[in-house]
Amino acid sequence: KNQVEQSPQSLIILEGKNCTLQCNYTVSPFSNLRWYKQDTGRGPVSLTIMTFSENTKSNGRYTATLDADTKQSSLHITASQLSDSASYICVVSVDGYKLSFGAGTTVTVRA
Amino acid sequence: EAQVTQNPRYLITVTGKKLTVTCSQNMNHEYMSWYRQDPGLGLRQIYYSMNVEVTDKGDVPEGYKVSRKEKRNFPLILESPSPNQTSLYFCASKVRDWWDTQYFGPGTRLTVL
C-alpha cells in the first residue's frame, strides 16, 4: 500500500486562480517532506522541503504547509500561470535518502 | 553546465536481452539514485548509493542491478529484462545530506517487448 496519498488526482483551474493540493502520509518515522514539480517529459524539480518542526514554507507563488501530528501536507498555488501546468509530487522520507513518492496531482491551467 | 545525464533516452528491446542505462553527474555529488515512473503509481525508488562502492535497495529492486565504481557514474543494469520493466526511468543525484536538493536527469523511456 502506498504510504503517500495525494488528492485530487487531477484538477483544472483558470489562469490567475488559486488552488490547493493535498498529501496524506503514513511513513514513519518521519524525517522530511518535499514537494516537486514535474513538467511533462522532464525530471522532477524540488519546490520546497520541510521537517517535522516546520509548518509552512514558501517558494514564490508556492506555499507548502505541514501538520506532522495529522500527517498531512498541502501545496497552495497562488495566482496560477499557464507555466504552472504540471504534475506536483509529494515525497516523504524517513532518513532523507530512502524516499516514498505520492502518485502526483496533475494541474492544468487554462487561459 | 551542472547536470545529470542519462543514456540512452529511448530504448526498445526484447525480453531477456541484457541492457545497461548509464547515468553520469558532473557535480561531484556523493548520493545517486534510480527511480522508475509508471502511470498511476508515481515514482518508485529502485536503488540508491550514498558513495562509491556503497549501494542500497529502494522499494522495487527486483530485476535490477547497480554499481558505483566511480563517484560520477551510477549505471542501472537489467540482466534479463521483462515486459513489466517497461517504464520511464530517472536517475538523480545530490551532494550528500538529507536536506540537499536532489537533481534529476532527463529520463530514459524503456520498452521491453
Side-chain angles (χ1 to χ4, degrees), chain B residues 18 23 84 88:
Chain B
K18 180 180 179 179
C23 173
N84 64 14
L88 178 59

Side-chain angles (χ1 to χ4, degrees), chain B residues 27-61:
Chain B
M27 297 172 279
N28 202 35
H29 287 172
E30 291 187 7
Y31 175 94
M32 297 185 74
S33 185
W34 275 103
Y35 305 90
R36 61 178 288 174
Q37 187 172 34
D38 303 290
L41 295 177
L43 282 149
R44 291 177 292 171
Q45 194 172 31
I46 303 171
Y47 271 97
Y48 63 99
S49 170
M50 302 284 282
N51 212 328
V52 175
E53 301 294 359
V54 180
T55 61
D56 280 296
K57 295 178 180 178
D59 290 327
V60 289

Side-chain angles (χ1 to χ4, degrees), chain B residues 13-102:
Chain B
T13 189
V14 296
T15 299
K17 186 176 181 181
K18 180 180 179 179
L19 66 92
T20 299
V21 183
T22 65
C23 173
S24 183
Q25 50 93 4
N26 61 1
M27 297 172 279
N28 202 35
H29 287 172
E30 291 187 7
Y31 175 94
M32 297 185 74
S33 185
W34 275 103
Y35 305 90
R36 61 178 288 174
Q37 187 172 34
D38 303 290
L41 295 177
L43 282 149
R44 291 177 292 171
Q45 194 172 31
I46 303 171
Y47 271 97
Y48 63 99
S49 170
M50 302 284 282
N51 212 328
V52 175
E53 301 294 359
V54 180
T55 61
D56 280 296
K57 295 178 180 178
D59 290 327
V60 289
E62 296 78 20
Y64 304 94
K65 286 176 58 177
V66 293
S67 68
R68 188 92 182 273
K69 294 184 170 58
E70 307 166 278
K71 198 171 191 178
R72 64 182 293 130
N73 296 323
F74 191 43
L76 180 69
I77 303 159
L78 285 71
E79 296 268 2
S80 183
S82 62
N84 64 14
Q85 292 179 299
T86 293
S87 188
L88 178 59
Y89 291 86
F90 287 100
C91 179
S93 73
K94 66 177 182 179
V95 178
R96 180 188 60 201
D97 296 307
W98 64 264
W99 57 82
D100 291 324
T101 296
Q102 192 163 197

Side-chain angles (χ1 to χ4, degrees), chain A residues 8-46:
Chain A
Q9 188 173 5
S10 64
L11 66 93
I12 300 172
I13 58 173
L14 292 177
E15 189 177 14
K17 298 297 186 182
N18 305 333
C19 68
T20 299
L21 318 178
Q22 299 292 340
C23 173
N24 296 333
Y25 63 92
T26 58
V27 174
S28 183
F30 169 80
S31 169
N32 62 85
L33 183 149
R34 284 186 189 266
W35 283 93
Y36 282 86
K37 177 186 179 188
Q38 184 177 23
D39 293 315
T40 301
R42 309 282 297 265
V45 175
S46 179

Side-chain angles (χ1 to χ4, degrees), chain A residues 59-111:
Chain A
N59 178 358
R61 295 180 296 101
Y62 301 104
T63 299
T65 64
L66 172 65
D67 186 333
D69 291 331
T70 61
K71 298 186 176 180
Q72 297 179 324
S73 176
S74 66
L75 181 69
H76 186 76
I77 305 175
T78 303
S80 60
Q81 300 176 358
L82 296 177
S83 60
D84 292 330
S85 293
S87 180
Y88 292 84
I89 303 169
C90 175
V91 185
V92 181
S93 176
V94 169
D95 57 6
Y97 305 107
K98 192 166 186 204
L99 309 179
S100 294
F101 291 77
T105 293
T106 300
V107 174
T108 303
V109 181
R110 294 210 171 133

